[in-house]
Amino acid sequence: YVRGIFKNLHGWFINCLRYLFCCFQDRAGQFFSSGHTNNWAVLVCTSRFWFNYRHVANTLSVYRSVKRLGIPDSHIVLMLADDMACNHRNPKPATVFSHKNMELNVYGDDVEVDYRGYEVTVENFLRILTGRLPPSTPRSKRLLSDDRSNILIYLTGHGGNGFLKFQDSEEISNVELADAFEQMWQKRRYNELLFIIDTCQGASMYERFYSPNLMALASSQVGEDSLSHQPDLAIGVHLMDRYTFYLLEFLEDIHPASKTNMNDLFKVCPKSQCVSTPGHRTDLFLRDPGSVLITDFFGSVRKVELTMETINLTDPIEQLESAESGELQKEMHTYADQLPVSEIIHQKPKQKDWHPPDGFILGLWTLILLVFFQTYGVKHLKHIF
Amino acid sequence: MGLLSDPNRRRALISLLTRLNTPICGMPVEWLMKTMQAKGLEVFTQRFSRTLPFPDENKERYMVRGTNVYGILRAPRAPRTEALVLSAPCSPGDNNNQAVGLLLGLAEYFRNQIYWAKDIIFLVNEHDLIGMQAWLEGYHHTNTTGMDWSPLQGRGGSIQAALSLELSSDIITSLDLVLEGLNGQLPNLDLANLFYAFCQKIGVLCTIQGKLQRNDWDSVSGYSHAVQTMMLMVMKQASGRPWGDHGLFLRYHIEAATIKGVNSFRQYKTDATTIGRLLEGMYRKLNNLLERLHQSYFFYLMPSLSHFVSIGYYMPAFGLLAVILLLRALDLWVQLSTPPQRTEDGVTDIEPVRGTHFKTVADLLSLLTPLVISHLTGVALYMLPIRFQEMAVEHFPVSETEAVVLTAIAVYTAGLALPHNTHRLLSGEGTEQGWRVLKLVAVLYLAVLLGCTALINFSLGFILALTLVPVAAFVTPHVPKVLSAFILVILSPACTLLFSVFFFQELQEMPISFQDGWLLFLSVISQGILDHSLYGSLVYPLITLLVYPCWLLFWNILFWN
């Protein structure tokens, strides 16, 4: 009887352990559900001139948050189209403030700008995203992401329906941006990508996305203008845009261990505060936004993968079948074959259009001439023959 | 933060102003140089001298010699590529003493700020417009008016905007904004809007043409008030003279305006510190500019400071007047090309005017002679008054200015007599075709002339069109002679000027008697001649060399038979 109880206890204990282990594993699974191992950020301010101070302040405040949450400068590509801190009109040189009365200096003393001034162009931006940079480009100017990188892309400046203006002289369209992201997907340059844009009619910029694993946020819908926050009377310009101002306030509460997810980010700056209606797009994103942490994109939380299996490195790596009969079948990833050479070499020649043989045409014309001369007078024929 | 919140600075400024309240003879060059240098500016001077063609009785000067003093505040961190100018004309007596004091106070305040991206030039010019002309010519290395000046030792970058101050007392009740410049050129409307918006923000009363804006636009009196203000602007623009020191900047594509302080009987008075804050704010705004002001209109009329009429609205009115002339020309062309007796083949019919008319040399002469004679009369009107002033002074008991003006009027009146004699001298009676051809040429000439004038100086073109187009269209040798001669003289340029003088005084609510009006008319003529030789104003040559001959052609047509 005691042995029975002991066996029951043992069984119960094993069950308990197994349950706990599964629970732990579920939580562990949940913890590792994002699937990324490193974080990158590309922060772009596209407008120059002193009265666009607020765009530089926007970008620098996101830079500040991202750096505070752990992404190092080597993984941040910061593009600022103009130098506000050292502008001749800045009454407080070497500072860029985001709150009036000079409460917060987002320029700091360790800012690293990778692309400055006239280097911020559409071409450079697209080259960074797609990785097509000349070999002489230094590492700080490259986006060296891989297929396990989560990338945060933040754009701010002046925009319109379907375009974003760079430097007052050129534009990037939403189609170009979507194609750039598709190139990134095909070259496996990101795992998941969060795209935030703070411009007028910003929602138009993410309308054309078609690559998987993209989530997008914009500060205003098509037809609406994004408005700026308060001006500072001593500096004489508007310091921040509303959306990024409230985004900064939201991010100031995030620390590396916080569990806030994307649904809270979508709620940042409702219409009562922002005057414009912020929008977001999650249909291309595979995971549920509620399970995506803010720190997945804004921070760099080091993840460790626990594996219970030994990997035999001498054998060639084979496709793994899913060990547990998971609901999600892991997709077989292959590179898209952009130039199917074998097909080109071995294809059949294209059928040319059929022409009647040449002699036939000659004969036809001779016949026509003969008929002509017969009708109109044989005397002309004598002149020919 | 802001100007003169520090009581010490306020006291320093007030002491400066009271010191300048005492009458100064000429300009205190040494004192200005020392003061500006003490404030940390780079100080330079420029000497200039000019002998006027004849003495100016309004300002009582003939041989002008003076010195401009200017100090440059260098932008602390910026390259020296752009500059702003703040100027105050310094005249003998207490005409503008407060402005110089305010300028110096502002210079000291500006020197302590680090946010300047452009150099600021503080200019004190002597003999107002003449000194300003000398300085601008020296700055831009041009010499359009034949003045004698010493080259500038120090220079800022290219000037983006300029403001000129005229303050006669240290208590101001309102500020008047003057925009009209040389040849009717106006600064960009953005500058006026900027000033007005900032005045409203600070709470200073701002007027234009000396008239305060009214709120009742719908009522008849409100509307007529606005029309009066606009007509004042039209009159001032048509005169082609710079109504403030800023007027000379506009030629160099520098947006400039003059701010006049007015001390009238009002309850709410502002003091110099508020004006200083206003100017500090204006300069800070101009400092933030990245390019010259060019986004808003350059051609406009302002019935009040918050309303304007753009060129798209007022040009069609002028266009319709010009169309009258073109229609008349078309009518004449059609009349000329259907001659009563004509030849067999159609070749001659195609160009009948030339064919019919220039068959004889006499016909050609009959067309050319009035043209040449009229233009020679115009040239005489342009050149004789100044050339023969010594001879006139010898023979008649008048001063030089009076000699010039009266000679001009004499030549003008003599021109009326000429055309009677010329063509009778040549070919006896004039032909029917003859006057038609002449009128065709004259009408087209007038249309082109008025069109070009309206493009440059709309008000002048419009006023001339209003008075000349009706007569030009209707005059023929067959209308009643005495009546139409009378009307033609009444609507000639000189009488238009006379009536405008009276009208201008009426609009300013200072009506004058006929004698005063006549004297004012004479002085206006002399000022016009002086403006032309001193600053390059184009009104006087335009009227004498082009409009008057054109009018003479019509006079000639009237007396064709």
Side-chain angles (χ1 to χ4, degrees):
Chain A
Y1 177 61
V2 174
R3 211 177 285 146
I5 293 174
F6 195 69
K7 221 195 281 181
N8 276 346
L9 266 177
H10 182 73
W12 175 83
F13 189 62
I14 298 279
N15 273 341
C16 224
L17 268 179
R18 202 178 291 140
Y19 169 71
L20 272 172
F21 184 67
C22 287
C23 209
F24 189 70
Q25 211 168 23
D26 280 340
R27 240 184 301 139
Q30 192 186 31
F31 190 61
F32 294 126
S33 65
S34 59
H36 72 282
T37 58
N38 56 78
N39 284 83
W40 285 82
V42 178
L43 310 173
V44 184
C45 159
T46 60
S47 41
R48 53 173 38 242
F49 303 138
W50 171 244
F51 47 83
N52 290 323
Y53 183 102
R54 57 189 191 279
H55 297 144
V56 171
N58 288 351
T59 318
L60 284 173
S61 55
V62 175
Y63 171 79
R64 183 180 177 280
S65 309
V66 144
K67 216 162 134 173
R68 187 177 54 83
L69 289 171
I71 304 187
D73 273 316
S74 55
H75 281 228
I76 303 178
V77 179
L78 178 61
M79 305 171 71
L80 296 180
D82 201 357
D83 182 12
M84 295 306 164
C86 298
N87 194 308
H88 311 309
R89 294 166 180 80
N90 195 346
K92 298 272 177 263
T95 58
V96 173
F97 292 110
S98 60
H99 289 63
K100 73 171 179 194
N101 300 326
M102 292 167 280
E103 284 167 13
L104 180 59
N105 173 20
V106 289
Y107 200 64
D109 46 8
D110 59 346
V111 62
E112 266 186 37
V113 181
D114 301 305
Y115 284 82
R116 54 181 65 107
Y118 288 106
E119 293 170 358
V120 178
T121 58
V122 173
E123 182 186 345
N124 279 348
F125 177 59
L126 291 175
R127 281 185 186 279
I128 291 168
L129 289 182
T130 54
R132 295 178 199 279
L133 288 160
S136 56
T137 319
R139 281 181 75 93
S140 59
K141 290 192 170 181
R142 288 179 188 261
L143 177 67
L144 298 165
S145 55
D146 53 24
D147 65 324
R148 300 293 285 266
S149 311
N150 274 11
I151 308 184
L152 164 72
I153 298 188
Y154 177 82
L155 293 175
T156 183
H158 287 289
N161 191 354
F163 67 90
L164 170 62
K165 184 172 75 158
F166 267 69
Q167 299 265 16
D168 218 28
S169 63
E170 51 181 3
E171 297 159 354
I172 184 172
S173 64
N174 47 4
V175 176
E176 275 180 314
L177 197 57
D179 286 342
F181 288 155
E182 175 65 13
Q183 276 197 51
M184 286 174 81
W185 173 251
Q186 295 206 358
K187 291 169 77 165
R188 299 293 172 264
R189 281 170 66 76
Y190 70 90
N191 175 34
E192 284 164 352
L193 198 144
L194 175 63
F195 175 78
I196 306 184
I197 183 162
D198 187 355
T199 65
C200 301
Q201 309 194 48
S204 64
M205 288 303 282
Y206 61 62
E207 273 170 5
R208 300 293 191 113
F209 289 173
Y210 56 93
S211 319
N213 275 343
L214 293 178
M215 189 176 340
L217 282 111
S219 60
S220 58
Q221 301 294 328
V222 173
E224 285 179 348
D225 287 337
S226 283
L227 301 177
S228 56
H229 204 51
Q230 356 130 305
D232 181 291
L233 296 174
I235 301 179
V237 284
H238 285 264
L239 294 181
M240 283 271 267
D241 279 330
R242 283 175 188 247
Y243 182 74
T244 314
F245 182 81
Y246 291 108
L247 182 68
L248 175 65
E249 282 195 355
F250 172 77
L251 290 174
E252 289 287 304
D253 292 332
I254 310 283
H255 54 89
S258 62
K259 294 271 168 284
T260 17
N261 54 35
M262 281 295 160
N263 283 335
D264 300 321
L265 190 62
F266 297 154
K267 293 198 200 94
V268 161
C269 208
K271 197 173 162 86
S272 55
Q273 282 175 328
C274 248
V275 184
S276 57
T277 319
H280 54 91
R281 181 176 175 181
T282 51
D283 56 316
L284 294 166
F285 206 72
L286 293 178
R287 289 192 289 152
D288 168 39
S291 68
V292 179
L293 301 177
I294 300 284
T295 50
D296 280 352
F297 288 102
F298 283 88
S300 183
V301 180
R302 296 258 169 254
K303 294 224 169 49
V304 174
E305 270 201 32
L306 297 175
T307 170
M308 301 294 185
E309 307 156 359
T310 54
I311 298 175
N312 196 348
L313 289 173
T314 53
D315 293 340
I317 298 176
E318 299 162 14
Q319 304 279 3
L320 284 174
E321 294 154 16
S322 44
E324 56 278 347
S325 62
E327 322 74 47
L328 291 167
Q329 272 288 353
K330 286 216 171 52
E331 266 191 337
M332 315 275 267
H333 294 310
T334 53
Y335 281 101
D337 203 1
Q338 288 168 339
L339 192 66
V341 175
S342 51
E343 286 178 17
I344 293 173
I345 294 174
H346 296 299
Q347 72 185 5
K348 282 206 278 273
K350 218 166 52 146
Q351 293 235 318
K352 291 199 301 205
D353 298 323
W354 181 83
H355 292 293
D358 300 323
F360 173 70
I361 294 173
L362 193 63
L364 193 63
W365 274 108
T366 317
L367 188 64
I368 290 169
L369 276 172
L370 279 171
V371 168
F372 169 73
F373 281 118
Q374 193 179 13
T375 324
Y376 289 104
V378 189
K379 59 179 188 288
H380 299 291
L381 207 58
K382 282 200 209 98
H383 297 288
I384 295 172
F385 293 115
Chain B
M1 179 155 292
L3 177 71
L4 305 174
S5 45
D6 178 11
N8 295 326
R9 292 219 183 108
R10 238 199 322 253
R11 239 177 282 131
L13 173 66
I14 290 174
S15 76
L16 254 175
L17 293 177
T18 42
R19 206 185 319 165
L20 283 165
N21 243 328
T22 60
I24 306 168
C25 282
M27 199 158 92
V29 174
E30 296 302 325
W31 178 81
L32 270 174
M33 284 181 69
K34 238 179 350 128
T35 323
M36 281 192 185
Q37 252 161 4
K39 307 221 183 285
L41 310 177
E42 295 178 14
V43 187
F44 307 96
T45 57
Q46 181 200 28
R47 297 186 159 285
F48 61 91
S49 70
R50 176 74 203 241
T51 308
L52 272 60
F54 54 89
D56 181 0
E57 282 185 354
N58 284 15
K59 298 213 174 94
E60 284 161 19
R61 54 189 182 192
Y62 179 49
M63 293 179 59
V64 171
R65 182 159 294 147
T67 315
N68 294 329
V69 180
Y70 63 103
I72 306 182
L73 167 70
R74 298 287 182 194
R77 293 175 282 150
R80 300 173 178 187
T81 48
E82 293 174 344
L84 298 169
V85 174
L86 178 60
S87 80
C90 183
S91 351
D94 54 354
N95 229 354
N96 205 14
N97 44 9
Q98 305 299 324
V100 177
L102 187 59
L103 186 136
L104 293 171
L106 278 173
E108 184 172 357
Y109 181 70
F110 285 0
R111 183 75 180 87
N112 290 331
Q113 309 303 318
I114 58 166
Y115 46 68
W116 298 114
K118 307 184 202 232
D119 295 343
I120 303 187
I121 303 178
F122 295 93
L123 169 67
V124 180
N125 51 323
E126 197 174 355
H127 297 295
D128 47 83
L129 285 167
I130 300 183
M132 183 58 87
Q133 180 69 20
W135 190 81
L136 280 171
E137 284 187 357
Y139 198 88
H140 293 99
H141 307 293
T142 61
N143 200 339
T144 50
T145 58
M147 209 184 297
D148 193 22
W149 36 262
S150 65
L152 295 183
Q153 305 292 322
R155 204 178 177 278
S158 78
I159 304 177
Q160 305 288 300
L163 283 179
S164 176
L165 290 178
E166 286 179 25
L167 293 174
S168 307
S169 85
D170 50 353
I171 303 293
I172 308 284
T173 53
S174 65
L175 286 176
D176 194 40
L177 183 68
V178 184
L179 296 171
E180 300 83 11
L182 186 65
N183 289 328
Q185 205 175 350
L186 298 168
N188 199 289
L189 188 57
D190 270 338
L191 190 64
N193 291 342
L194 185 70
F195 184 72
Y196 183 53
F198 203 57
C199 273
Q200 280 185 313
K201 193 164 166 194
I202 289 218
V204 173
L205 210 56
C206 194
T207 62
I208 194 169
Q209 320 296 346
K211 285 188 186 291
L212 194 57
Q213 185 169 312
R214 285 166 64 146
N215 285 335
D216 51 343
W217 293 103
D218 298 333
S219 69
V220 174
S221 59
Y223 188 78
S224 75
H225 180 89
V227 169
Q228 276 177 36
T229 315
M230 194 170 81
M231 288 311 296
L232 268 173
M233 182 163 178
V234 166
M235 292 278 136
K236 283 189 179 176
Q237 197 185 12
S239 70
R241 59 191 320 245
W243 288 84
D245 279 7
H246 72 286
L248 298 171
F249 280 95
L250 298 170
R251 196 189 344 214
Y252 299 94
H253 201 114
I254 301 169
E255 309 311 321
T258 297
I259 300 172
K260 277 168 80 155
V262 170
N263 187 5
S264 62
F265 298 105
R266 263 183 224 284
Q267 210 177 11
Y268 190 72
K269 301 186 195 298
T270 56
D271 61 343
T273 51
T274 317
I275 309 296
R277 271 175 53 222
L278 180 76
L279 289 170
E280 177 213 355
M282 280 294 289
Y283 271 86
R284 198 116 182 240
K285 287 181 195 291
L286 292 172
N287 175 49
N288 279 353
L289 284 178
L290 291 148
E291 45 190 11
R292 287 175 199 265
L293 287 165
H294 70 280
Q295 303 280 3
S296 184
Y297 294 92
F298 286 101
F299 299 99
Y300 50 89
L301 294 172
M302 297 187 79
S304 80
L305 270 171
S306 52
H307 293 71
F308 74 98
V309 182
S310 77
I311 188 170
Y313 277 98
Y314 63 61
M315 214 34 125
F318 176 80
L320 290 175
L321 281 174
V323 160
I324 295 175
L325 291 174
L326 295 176
L327 287 177
R328 175 59 71 188
L330 194 62
D331 173 47
L332 284 166
W333 179 266
V334 166
Q335 282 177 20
L336 282 170
S337 62
T338 57
Q341 75 287 4
R342 256 315 87 203
T343 58
E344 58 284 14
D345 54 324
V347 178
T348 327
D349 271 343
I350 293 170
E351 31 181 47
V353 178
R354 301 278 174 202
T356 52
H357 192 76
F358 295 137
K359 270 164 55 180
T360 63
V361 178
D363 290 338
L364 180 64
L365 270 182
S366 149
L367 170 66
L368 275 185
T369 318
L371 275 174
V372 170
I373 301 261
S374 309
H375 282 88
L376 282 180
T377 319
V379 170
L381 183 58
Y382 177 67
M383 295 182 43
L384 286 185
I386 299 181
R387 292 226 173 197
F388 292 135
Q389 56 174 313
E390 297 104 22
M391 211 159 71
V393 169
E394 264 178 45
H395 293 285
F396 299 101
V398 288
S399 68
E400 285 97 340
T401 320
E402 286 172 3
V404 169
V405 176
L406 293 174
T407 315
I409 296 180
V411 173
Y412 189 92
T413 327
L416 296 180
L418 271 175
H420 284 276
N421 304 323
T422 47
H423 76 263
R424 278 196 195 145
L425 210 70
L426 286 170
S427 56
E429 285 287 317
T431 62
E432 272 299 304
Q433 300 290 5
W435 73 260
R436 286 211 166 85
V437 177
L438 182 60
K439 185 164 179 194
L440 177 66
V441 170
V443 155
L444 286 177
Y445 181 32
L446 185 66
V448 168
L449 184 63
L450 289 177
C452 294
T453 312
L455 280 178
I456 299 172
N457 186 346
F458 167 77
S459 308
L460 183 64
F462 192 71
I463 291 176
L464 286 174
L466 266 183
T467 52
L468 290 176
V469 164
V471 263
F474 289 112
V475 75
T476 65
H478 306 298
V479 293
K481 286 253 190 316
V482 175
L483 182 65
S484 30
F486 180 67
I487 293 178
L488 204 56
V489 169
I490 290 291
L491 292 176
S492 72
C495 291
T496 313
L497 184 60
L498 183 62
F499 294 137
S500 311
V501 166
F502 285 105
F503 186 51
F504 185 64
Q505 292 298 118
E506 278 288 330
L507 283 174
Q508 283 189 319
E509 288 160 21
M510 294 192 298
I512 45 176
S513 64
F514 184 71
Q515 281 94 342
D516 291 334
W518 176 255
L519 288 175
L520 194 59
F521 171 65
L522 295 180
S523 80
V524 163
I525 297 180
S526 72
Q527 287 296 312
I529 301 175
L530 275 176
D531 279 350
H532 168 62
S533 66
L534 282 177
Y535 320 120
S537 162
L538 293 173
V539 175
Y540 181 66
L542 180 81
I543 301 279
T544 55
L545 292 174
L546 293 171
V547 175
Y548 177 63
C550 198
W551 180 84
L552 272 185
L553 288 176
F554 291 109
W555 183 258
N556 198 354
I557 292 171
L558 182 62
F559 290 100
W560 188 256
N561 295 324

